Amino acid sequence: MELRHLRYFIAVAEEGSLTLAAEKRLHTAQPSLSRQIRDLEYEVGVPLLLRSARGIELTAAGKAFLDHARQSVTEAEAAVEAARRAAEPDKPVFSMGFLTGMEVEWLPIASRILRDELPNIEIRVVSQYSPQLAEDLQRGKLDVAFLRNEQKQNVEYRVVASEPLVVVLPSDHRLAAEHEIDPRDLVGEIFIGMSDIPHVLRGVIDGYFAKLGLDIKPTHVIDNFAMAISLVASTRGVCLLPAYAENFLSWSVVSRPLKGESPTIDLMLGYNNLNTSPLLRLFLTRMENQAVTPAR
């Protein structure tokens, strides 16, 4: 059994289709993928997949196998990353990830925390969606990341900031004249909602409206705050975003606080608890000992 067999099986299980897994994820021919899956099932000794008119479903054995397959692939990728880092002992690398837009506020803070080590280390920085950052932490590609609370095995989180959500709307919108916006006034407006990618933010927004008993359904859904701001300007819609997005508003878009108790969303510092890097331990310790909430 080879790692490629596990990757093929995971792709099929997640896509629910041999065709989609072959074309979208693996870029291989579907007959070849089917043959690889049959070889895997032969080696395991039990059927892992059920093929039906609805697509591919996992057997009980397949469900049990999937968890272990994911863990094996993750550990293999982490081992490769660790080996690559060990090959450059003279210049340790500390890799940091930021939820897109957060690097503006948090990279200076993170750099200040590591200022004594900067002459001797290489810092690598990436900006990405929160789910991808969590996956990179799990796979050992990042030492730390500033992101949302994504559920990933071996990834632990510490809250570093909690920020309110604000209303983002066109600067000449009728509600822009208000100092605070009553959430009930958003009913009937074109509402820009969140997709499955920023699912933590979507959950906060949905929970807020449900708590108030407001029936507000998205007219459009987006993946990130930049898309949200663009759609607010182009459709004359409104949306709820974390307050840090105020740093990126164009002249045609403004933000206003919500009236009453505003919903909040946590920014987390994530790391892999299997990472034994001394730099990571130093960074976590210094984060605990400093006031790190960015000024607004």
Side-chain angles (χ1 to χ4, degrees):
M1 186 184 304
E2 300 178 15
L3 276 175
R4 62 185 172 86
H5 291 118
L6 301 183
R7 290 192 176 98
Y8 290 168
F9 173 73
I10 292 169
V12 173
E14 291 179 347
E15 294 296 336
S17 164
L18 283 163
T19 301
L20 286 178
E23 296 177 354
K24 180 180 175 182
R25 294 275 293 274
L26 302 171
H27 307 293
T28 188
Q30 190 266 328
S32 175
L33 177 58
S34 297
R35 187 164 55 252
Q36 299 287 344
I37 296 298
R38 285 197 300 270
D39 291 344
L40 176 62
E41 289 179 315
Y42 177 80
E43 188 163 353
V44 174
V46 293
L48 301 174
L49 303 172
L50 292 175
R51 298 157 179 81
S52 67
R54 293 178 297 176
I56 296 294
E57 296 179 4
L58 295 178
T59 64
K63 292 176 182 177
F65 187 79
L66 179 60
D67 290 336
H68 292 283
R70 283 172 170 158
Q71 183 65 18
S72 296
V73 170
T74 296
E75 290 180 356
E77 291 176 346
V80 170
E81 188 66 23
R84 288 173 177 169
R85 292 189 179 191
E88 301 177 356
D90 295 333
K91 193 74 170 178
V93 175
F94 192 72
S95 298
M96 296 188 289
F98 296 88
L99 179 64
T100 301
M102 284 293 182
E103 65 275 9
V104 174
E105 294 184 351
W106 288 93
L107 179 56
I109 292 172
S111 298
R112 186 178 70 237
I113 288 173
L114 291 172
R115 65 182 179 273
D116 295 336
E117 283 69 38
L118 289 179
N120 303 313
I121 66 174
E122 176 185 346
I123 291 183
R124 296 177 183 171
V125 176
V126 299
S127 175
Q128 187 53 272
Y129 295 142
S130 183
Q132 183 62 55
L133 291 174
E135 187 170 325
D136 287 347
L137 283 173
Q138 186 184 47
R139 294 182 175 182
K141 294 182 178 181
L142 293 174
D143 289 295
V144 296
F146 293 82
L147 71 170
R148 304 304 180 196
N149 191 344
E150 312 285 347
Q151 297 303 308
K152 288 287 186 180
Q153 189 172 17
N154 299 325
V155 178
E156 295 188 11
Y157 297 97
R158 300 178 183 181
V159 178
V160 294
S162 185
E163 59 181 328
L165 302 192
V166 297
V167 183
V168 176
L169 67 169
S171 55
D172 59 350
H173 193 282
R174 63 181 181 84
L175 295 175
E178 304 291 334
H179 293 295
E180 296 179 322
I181 294 181
D182 189 321
R184 291 172 296 184
D185 289 338
L186 301 179
V187 176
E189 296 288 334
I190 296 172
F191 188 75
I192 314 301
M194 302 298 126
S195 72
D196 290 336
I197 293 177
H199 63 98
V200 177
L201 176 57
R202 185 188 63 193
V204 171
I205 294 172
D206 290 348
Y208 174 65
F209 287 150
K211 180 180 178 180
L212 296 177
L214 299 179
D215 183 20
I216 298 178
K217 298 291 192 301
T219 310
H220 309 281
V221 294
I222 52 84
D223 294 339
N224 58 64
F225 74 87
M227 294 173 62
I229 293 170
S230 176
L231 274 180
V232 166
S234 62
T235 68
R236 299 195 54 74
V238 300
C239 70
L240 299 187
L241 290 177
Y244 85 95
E246 293 173 329
N247 296 325
F248 305 93
L249 299 183
S250 64
W251 63 269
S252 61
V253 176
V254 297
S255 67
R256 295 290 182 267
L258 284 157
K259 185 176 293 185
E261 184 179 356
S262 297
T264 60
I265 187 167
D266 290 334
L267 178 67
M268 317 297 289
L269 175 65
Y271 62 96
N272 191 317
N273 58 24
L274 299 180
N275 187 342
T276 59
S277 164
L279 274 174
L280 171 61
R281 298 304 150 191
L282 177 65
F283 185 83
L284 294 176
T285 299
R286 289 184 177 177
M287 282 287 289
E288 287 181 346
N289 295 336
Q290 293 197 32
V292 296
T293 302
R296 291 206 168 277

